[in-house]
Amino acid sequence: GAGVSQSPSNKVTEKGKDVELRCDPISGHTALYWYRQSLGQGLEFLIYFQGNSAPDKSGLPSDRFSAERTGGSVSTLTIQRTQQEDSAVYLCASSLFLTEAFFGQGTRLTVV
Amino acid sequence: GNSVTQMEGPVTLSEEAFLTINCTYTATGYPSLFWYVQYPGEGLQLLLKATKADDKGSNKGFEATYRKETTSFHLEKGSVQVSDSAVYFCALSPNNAGNMLTFGGGTRLMVKP
């Protein structure tokens, strides 16, 4: 597609349930990033994939969060046993290395 | 660790007024500096960037100069328009860290006709 696509755009889940958020990056982009935007914490880096290298997971807030990137393209961010503090907008971005990052519209996650 | 501090909003201006949004940073080495903008209902977009000291980034009438001596990257525009109403984020990326960005808290700008 023309831009970074994220799905779903909105997700409401019950506390304790697992959720999966999907990101389709721009075709050919080797780098993929996940960020979280919340009222209390602002915009936070979560995880970074670059080509076939091991991902940089330094921003993941707890071991309930994980992400994978299959075939160097689509990425899935999984949150296990969701908590109310996980409510936020989850943003995905992709780029060629060291060039401009393009962001998706985000997935708004609400944990009730 | 790295951090970015920007002025809290909202900033409310009349059309054609001069805009300054202050941004200061803390980082080791020589980070790249960015301004991103989020228009209502849209995703984050890169507005401008600078990769080394004294560089000036510019786009759509906005400018920011990388000042290493004051660790600042203030955003300026000489004459704002209603269409500039948005949330502006200052950010940094450590040298050679791609787009692993540390963001400031964001500043909401409202421009009145």
Side-chain angles (χ1 to χ4, degrees), chain A residues 33 35 37 43 45 48 56 91 95 97-101 103-105, chain B residues 36 38 41-44 46 49 89 96-101 103-104:
Chain A
Y33 310 79
Y35 289 85
Q37 186 173 23
L43 267 161
F45 164 76
Y48 163 42
D56 185 321
L91 298 172
S95 74
F97 185 58
L98 295 182
T99 62
E100 177 182 353
F103 282 79
Q105 297 270 34
Chain B
Y36 278 82
Q38 192 170 33
E42 298 186 17
L44 272 172
L46 178 65
K49 69 176 185 181
F89 294 90
N96 289 325
N99 290 287
M100 286 176 59
L101 299 163
F103 285 92

Side-chain angles (χ1 to χ4, degrees), chain A residues 4-13 19-24 34 37 87-92 104-110, chain B residues 38 41-43:
Chain A
V4 177
S5 177
Q6 293 186 244
S7 60
S9 54
N10 281 284
K11 176 73 175 179
V12 180
T13 190
V19 294
E20 286 189 350
L21 312 180
R22 177 187 169 102
C23 173
D24 280 277
W34 284 96
Q37 186 173 23
S87 297
V89 176
Y90 289 82
L91 298 172
C92 177
Q105 297 270 34
T107 294
R108 181 176 298 277
L109 175 66
T110 304
Chain B
Q38 192 170 33
E42 298 186 17

